[in-house]
């Protein structure tokens, strides 16, 4: 019985250490506006480049399309055999969440 209590205490003690977490912070939606190009691939690339450039104005860490929320990359045929594409998404970055225990101990001055 005592062995179980020691093991349980060791397990509980190991799980009480503070852990850090990353959080995704997103801003308002940005749109590339319609982009017309000769091929769908080129129109997509240009639309994404425009979106990334606009998102980078918030900070380089916001310019990754892969981290963005509510992504839309839509294309359709346009006049003359061309394609029109639009990229729209909320740019996001990843930041380390503050350690709550550390902040709490500072507030109550332990």
């Amino acid at each position: 019985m005592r062995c179980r209590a020691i093991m349980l205490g060791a397990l509980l003690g190991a799980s009480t250490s503070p852990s850090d977490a990353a959080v995704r912070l997103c801003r308002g939606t940005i749109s590339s506006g319609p982009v017309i190009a000769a091929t769908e691939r080129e129109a997509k690339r240009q639309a994404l480049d425009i979106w990334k450039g606009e998102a980078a104005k918030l900070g380089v860490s916001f310019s990754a399309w892969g981290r963005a929320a509510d992504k839309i990359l839509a294309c359709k045929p346009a006049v003359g055999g061309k394609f029109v594409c639009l990229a729209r998404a909320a740019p996001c970055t990843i930041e380390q969440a503050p350690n709550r225990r550390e902040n709490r101990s500072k507030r109550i001055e332990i």
Side-chain angles (χ1 to χ4, degrees), residues 33-45:
V35 175
I36 299 172
T39 66
E40 183 175 6
R41 183 177 181 162
E42 182 61 20
K44 281 182 179 181
R45 187 190 64 73

Side-chain angles (χ1 to χ4, degrees), residues 43-98:
K44 281 182 179 181
R45 187 190 64 73
Q46 288 180 20
L48 286 172
D49 286 348
I50 291 169
W51 184 90
K52 289 175 185 178
E54 290 299 313
K57 292 177 183 177
L58 298 170
V60 176
S61 63
F62 283 95
S63 65
W65 178 257
R67 271 194 300 266
D70 304 324
K71 294 182 276 192
I72 296 173
L73 180 57
C75 298
K76 65 180 184 178
V79 178
K82 296 184 177 189
F83 287 86
V84 60
C85 292
L86 173 82
R88 181 177 20 205
C92 302
T93 188
I94 303 294
E95 289 189 4
Q96 198 65 28

